[in-house]
Amino acid sequence: MRRRPVNILAVLGTRPEVIKLAPVLRLVKKDKKFRLRLCATAQHRQLLDQTLRVFGLKPHLDLDLMRPDQCPSEILSRTLAALQGVLRKEKPDILLIQGDTTTVWAAALAAFHEGIPIAHVESGLRTGDLKRPYPEEANRIFTDRLSSLLFAPTPLARKNLIEEGIDPRKIFVTGNTAVDSLLWVLKRPRPWTCRTVASWAKKPGPIAIVTLHRREIFGKPLKGLLRGLLKTVEKNPHWRWIFPVHPTPQVSKTAQRLLHHPRILLAPPLDYLDFVRLMKRCDLIVTDSGGIQEEAPTLGKPVVVMREKTERPEALDRGNYLAGISGKNLERALSIKLKLPKCNPFGDGRAAQRIVAAIKSWAGL
Ligand code: UD1
Ligand code: UDP
């Protein structure tokens, strides 16, 4: 029988990691069988702080690693170097990470070097193409390979892992914690924080949300997409478009230069509560985000996925439509998309409970 609590070190660095780890951290924090330490790499600075505030999370350690316009190798090397010291000092029984960012891959590799077991939330997502999304597909494969506990959100993710030779005893199908977080927020309605978005949302008429940030669209594809968006806006005079712009300079500078239209609102990144409220209000989402592909089906909202491949095919043609990354496809996608039947294959809001139960069982509790 285990006498001391299980020391969990959770490492996170970006907005989606906070959103998707928060439900697990909430359960771990209130369970006396665990001692939780939270380390923020701050791969994201403003987006991380904005999201931590929403969930009332305060990291014990903050490595403050973000630099303007960083590239994956820079953030990887800074994170790997900094985490070695953290892991040696904290000596966790297990490292808890979520997703496929550079923070996640660096944390997994650092833990592997220190001989610390890894619990990976959202394992097994694959497009089968190392360049899409880039570099996340590689990050996922490497991280899963090193993990001792793999929390696959869906049966398809489990199948992907088994096909790569991962021991099925390490894999748990849990649902995606994105759904847990979304349902948690829906139970806590709150007034809008962003007044401009609030005033647009309150006016009647159809609204589409746009979010774009993937590295594989930087440069020419992004310009093509935004030009396609402008044409689509012109052709649909009753629609208004809200684009919370990701702060990555490759996106924010291009969007601010190209998107001038009275029916397009370029907004700052919205805090998660505002963003969920906006998703509930909207009629359509055009995005290359991973998390939004899981949230929108839960809210019954149609999504045009501006990517060539997705690691979340479960909802394709049942709410989510894969449109590629050419601006020309956008208009066609919109007409098909709005007619698709809806489904929600990503979870039931109890993924975090299953994850915590599996960690307890692994620790012999
Ligand atoms: C990262 C993840 C991506 C995830 C996305 C979530 C990697 C390789 N990519 O992409 O998987 O989908 O986060 O949003 O890990 N910036 C700020 N403030 C912020 C955040 C970013 O100014 O709060 C700017 C900085 O100039 C930074 C740049 O954006 O250098 C890029 O940030 P980075 O985390 O490297 O990549 P993302 O594109 O955000
Ligand atoms: N999101 C948010 N505010 C925004 C845009 C997105 O809170 O202005 C949330 C969204 O609901 C989802 C997550 O951020 O939960 C997705 O993050 P992002 O698209 O940056 O990363 P990805 O999911 O593609 O890794």
Side-chain angles (χ1 to χ4, degrees):
M1 206 32 200
R2 192 184 181 98
R3 284 177 199 283
R4 64 169 183 84
V6 180
N7 282 327
I8 297 186
L9 177 70
V11 174
L12 43 72
T14 67
R15 170 170 69 191
E17 292 163 69
V18 179
I19 293 169
K20 292 179 174 182
L21 266 189
V24 183
L25 300 180
R26 199 175 307 119
L27 291 184
V28 165
K29 266 207 284 194
K30 63 182 187 201
D31 191 326
K32 290 203 168 57
K33 296 202 166 73
F34 295 113
R35 176 177 172 272
L36 174 68
R37 299 275 290 170
L38 181 57
C39 172
T41 65
Q43 173 180 336
H44 283 175
R45 186 68 276 170
Q46 299 85 348
L47 294 185
L48 183 83
D49 294 343
Q50 182 187 48
T51 318
L52 288 169
R53 266 196 303 279
V54 164
F55 291 98
L57 289 168
K58 288 199 179 70
H60 303 96
L61 297 160
D62 190 323
L63 307 177
D64 199 20
L65 294 177
M66 192 195 88
R67 300 291 175 272
D69 214 3
Q70 65 207 6
C71 70
S73 294
E74 290 164 355
I75 192 75
L76 179 72
S77 54
R78 284 199 296 275
T79 312
L80 193 55
L83 281 177
Q84 174 183 294
V86 172
L87 291 169
R88 286 187 181 173
K89 188 159 174 280
E90 295 290 329
K91 295 186 178 51
D93 296 311
I94 192 158
L95 171 82
L96 179 65
I97 44 179
Q98 187 285 331
D100 52 22
T101 64
T102 302
T103 287
V104 169
W105 165 224
L109 185 55
F112 171 70
H113 288 158
E114 298 304 313
I116 295 163
I118 299 159
H120 185 208
V121 177
E122 200 180 73
S123 281
L125 271 57
R126 299 287 185 270
T127 61
D129 182 341
L130 280 174
K131 291 200 174 145
R132 290 175 186 83
Y134 164 86
E136 292 84 355
E137 178 81 354
N139 291 350
R140 297 168 184 150
I141 294 171
F142 300 150
T143 303
D144 285 334
R145 188 70 190 82
L146 300 185
S147 295
S148 298
L149 291 175
L150 296 97
F151 301 116
T154 63
L156 177 64
R158 178 177 189 273
K159 184 168 164 274
N160 292 338
L161 292 168
I162 288 171
E163 280 172 5
E164 287 174 16
I166 307 259
D167 181 347
R169 287 170 300 182
K170 294 181 181 175
I171 308 170
F172 301 82
V173 178
T174 59
N176 199 304
T177 51
V179 180
D180 301 30
S181 263
L182 181 60
L183 299 180
W184 184 83
V185 163
L186 290 173
K187 283 189 208 132
R188 285 162 185 78
R190 180 208 69 175
W192 290 93
T193 300
C194 181
R195 289 205 187 147
T196 327
V197 169
S199 74
W200 273 54
K202 279 173 191 160
K203 286 186 197 137
I207 284 186
I209 303 176
V210 182
T211 83
L212 295 167
H213 74 278
R214 303 240 81 86
R215 282 176 184 270
E216 58 271 25
I217 61 160
F218 286 3
K220 232 172 143 187
L222 178 62
K223 284 184 201 146
L225 271 177
L226 297 185
R227 292 197 180 106
L229 177 64
L230 274 174
K231 282 190 193 144
T232 309
V233 173
E234 276 302 321
K235 283 188 193 158
N236 295 277
H238 52 297
W239 281 76
R240 286 171 305 133
W241 301 71
I242 301 181
F243 186 169
V245 182
H246 197 282
T248 193
Q250 301 266 9
V251 173
S252 57
K253 286 187 185 155
T254 315
Q256 262 134 26
R257 195 156 42 83
L258 295 185
L259 289 183
H260 297 277
H261 195 283
R263 281 185 289 105
I264 302 178
L265 173 63
L266 294 183
L270 301 180
D271 84 18
Y272 182 59
L273 299 175
D274 270 6
F275 193 74
V276 170
R277 195 163 176 175
L278 183 62
M279 283 196 288
K280 257 182 85 182
R281 158 67 178 87
C282 81
D283 301 278
L284 174 74
I285 304 175
V286 176
T287 190
D288 63 3
S289 162
I292 296 171
Q293 289 177 65
E294 294 147 357
E295 291 162 348
T298 308
L299 294 167
K301 301 294 174 174
V303 186
V304 176
V305 181
M306 298 311 298
R307 294 206 201 178
E308 283 168 342
K309 292 185 178 160
T310 178
E311 60 295 278
R312 292 154 170 102
E314 291 90 339
L316 281 189
D317 298 331
R318 299 189 295 154
N320 294 2
Y321 179 80
L322 193 61
I325 57 169
S326 145
K328 286 186 194 138
N329 288 350
L330 184 56
E331 177 73 14
R332 203 173 74 86
L334 292 190
S335 54
I336 298 171
K337 176 72 229 85
L338 290 167
K339 294 180 199 124
L340 292 175
K342 308 285 186 293
C343 73
N344 172 19
F346 294 113
D348 59 2
R350 288 184 295 141
Q353 282 175 35
R354 296 185 188 104
I355 289 167
V356 172
I359 297 177
K360 277 186 170 170
S361 148
W362 170 86
L365 292 171

